[in-house]
Each structure stands twice: as structure tokens, then as C-alpha cells.
Amino acid sequence: QVQLGESGGGSVQAGGALRLSCSTDANTLSFTCVGWFRQIPGQEREEVAKVEIGVSGSPRETYADSVKGRFTLSKDNAKNTLDLQMADLRLEDSGMYTCAATNRRSYGRCNWALGYRGQGTQVTVSS
């Protein structure tokens, strides 16, 4: 049974920082795709950042344009965690952040619908 547990959310003022952590097991952390999503009520879930194992076997990090330069992924294989360091937070970064993992691809892209995700941790950024 795959389990993903998020922590680290909370309330912060704009310009501040938070570090989210996703705890799982070693097998899940080695999935082809592991990453973070966020969802704001009334909007579609957005892929924020992910680590993807390419066909060459090398990991590649990708970030949504809206968070590039501000958010950083950190994968700790010893602790079996995937952390998301968030800096210079903005009001629009508020939302429910969930960790996800999948070993399935469709048309060369991570198929998150056939994977797993956690319950989420809430991030609220205020002015």
C-alpha cells in the first residue's frame, strides 16, 4: 500500500518561506515521477514541481513557470522524503499542496491519474 504524508503547511506573510515535506517509503520515492501539486478551490489542480526519471535513468527536475526561481525540490533518499522549499511566497501560492507519485507514463508524460497522492497540507499566504 503506497502512502504519502505531507507536512509543513501553515500561514505565512507574503515574502516569507515555508518548507513542505512528503514522507513515503523508499520504493515509492524511486517511482518514475514524484512531485508536488497544489489546488485552489474552484480551480484545476496544478503541477508545481516534480522529479522525473528519464529514459536514460537520470532524474530531471521541472517546475511550473509561476514558481521557478522561488521553489526548490529536495529528495532525501536516506529519510525517504521529497521536500519542497518555498521562498518569496505570494498570495497566489495559497492552496492545498499534495504530494504525488506514479510509475506510469502516457505519451511520454507522467500519468498522475494512475498513481498515488497524499491528503495534502494547506498553505495560506497573506498580505
Side-chain angles (χ1 to χ4, degrees):
Q1 180 75 16
V2 173
Q3 290 188 329
L4 297 153
E6 302 93 338
S7 61
S11 297
V12 64
Q13 287 193 321
L18 281 174
R19 188 178 183 91
L20 306 183
S21 187
C22 173
S23 296
T24 185
D25 58 88
N27 182 60
T28 303
L29 197 61
S30 68
F31 275 17
T32 301
C33 306
V34 289
W36 284 91
F37 287 76
R38 69 184 176 196
Q39 185 159 26
I40 300 169
Q43 297 186 22
E44 289 190 4
R45 198 161 57 107
E46 175 189 17
E47 181 183 299
V48 175
K50 70 174 182 286
V51 178
E52 184 176 359
I53 307 299
V55 292
S56 65
S58 298
R60 183 181 65 171
E61 294 180 6
T62 56
Y63 298 86
D65 288 341
S66 59
V67 307
K68 280 181 183 175
R70 300 187 298 119
F71 290 13
T72 305
L73 284 170
S74 177
K75 194 175 182 183
D76 190 327
N77 291 320
K79 297 180 180 179
N80 293 327
T81 58
L82 179 69
D83 289 359
L84 183 67
Q85 178 67 50
M86 307 185 295
D88 189 22
L89 284 163
R90 304 169 181 170
L91 298 180
E92 56 266 31
D93 292 321
S94 295
M96 179 65 73
Y97 283 70
T98 57
C99 180
T102 183
N103 256 338
R104 303 294 294 274
R105 289 181 183 275
S106 294
Y107 304 104
R109 303 180 67 175
C110 302
N111 191 327
W112 300 104
L114 297 179
Y116 307 86
R117 62 175 183 262
Q119 295 297 311
T121 185
Q122 180 69 37
V123 171
T124 302
V125 184
S126 59
S127 58

